[in-house]
């Protein structure tokens, strides 16, 4: 879980799904985003964050000693990027994927997303 300090900065690292990576590249400074916990027993949205710096090359992809090293990524045509975000708001309760999908149905607040 993110610390409550609104001055904390994080980097969103490697996304292995190409469409997710492309969405991350499209994030602009000032954009707001949900903070979604996905690698846990109960995935869901736990808060909001703001993009404070647009995507940049993920330097860890070039470091053979780093867990995110990718031998196929080259500096001339990098595959991986990071986005810098800051915590903005913690939700009082997790919004589960099942709940989120209800909001995306016709007439729901997320219908066109």
């Amino acid at each position: 879980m993110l610390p409550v300090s609104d001055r904390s900065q994080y980097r969103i690292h490697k996304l292995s799904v190409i469409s997710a990576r492309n969405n991350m590249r499209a994030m602009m400074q000032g954009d707001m985003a949900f903070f979604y916990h996905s690698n846990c027993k109960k995935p869901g949205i736990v808060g909001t964050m703001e993009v404070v710096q647009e995507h940049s090359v993920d330097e860890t992809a070039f470091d053979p000693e780093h867990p995110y090293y990718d031998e196929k990524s080259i500096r001339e045509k990098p595959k991986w990027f990071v986005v810098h975000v800051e915590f903005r708001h913690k939700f009082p309760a997790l919004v589960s994927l099942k709940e989120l999908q209800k909001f995306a149905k016709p007439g729901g607040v997320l219908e066109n997303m």
Side-chain angles (χ1 to χ4, degrees):
M1 181 69 70
L2 287 172
V4 180
S5 168
D6 64 351
R7 298 201 183 268
S8 298
Q9 247 191 57
Y10 301 89
R11 296 184 330 159
I12 300 174
H13 277 277
K14 277 222 177 107
L15 298 172
S16 57
V17 178
I18 298 299
S19 61
R21 183 193 68 187
N22 292 343
N23 286 332
M24 191 171 72
R25 280 190 195 159
M27 292 177 179
M28 304 294 287
Q29 186 172 356
D31 284 353
M32 297 299 293
F34 289 126
F35 193 100
Y36 186 82
H37 279 216
S38 59
N39 193 15
C40 54
K41 286 185 180 181
K42 188 172 179 185
I45 297 171
V46 295
T48 61
M49 57 189 174
E50 181 178 351
V51 176
V52 295
Q53 182 182 336
E54 294 170 20
H55 77 279
S56 58
V57 174
D58 183 355
E59 293 294 326
T60 64
F62 309 120
D63 180 0
E65 302 297 316
H66 199 279
Y68 293 149
Y69 173 65
D70 182 351
E71 64 185 29
K72 295 179 182 176
S73 188
I74 56 173
R75 289 192 186 278
E76 295 76 24
K77 192 174 180 183
K79 290 173 48 178
W80 304 112
F81 298 87
V82 296
V83 172
H84 302 263
V85 296
E86 283 184 3
F87 169 81
R88 289 293 177 251
H89 177 76
K90 179 181 175 183
F91 291 169
L94 178 134
V95 179
S96 71
L97 178 58
K98 202 171 246 187
E99 290 174 275
L100 190 60
Q101 289 169 334
K102 289 178 189 175
F103 293 124
K105 290 182 178 179
V109 294
L110 301 175
E111 176 181 11
N112 297 314
M113 296 186 97

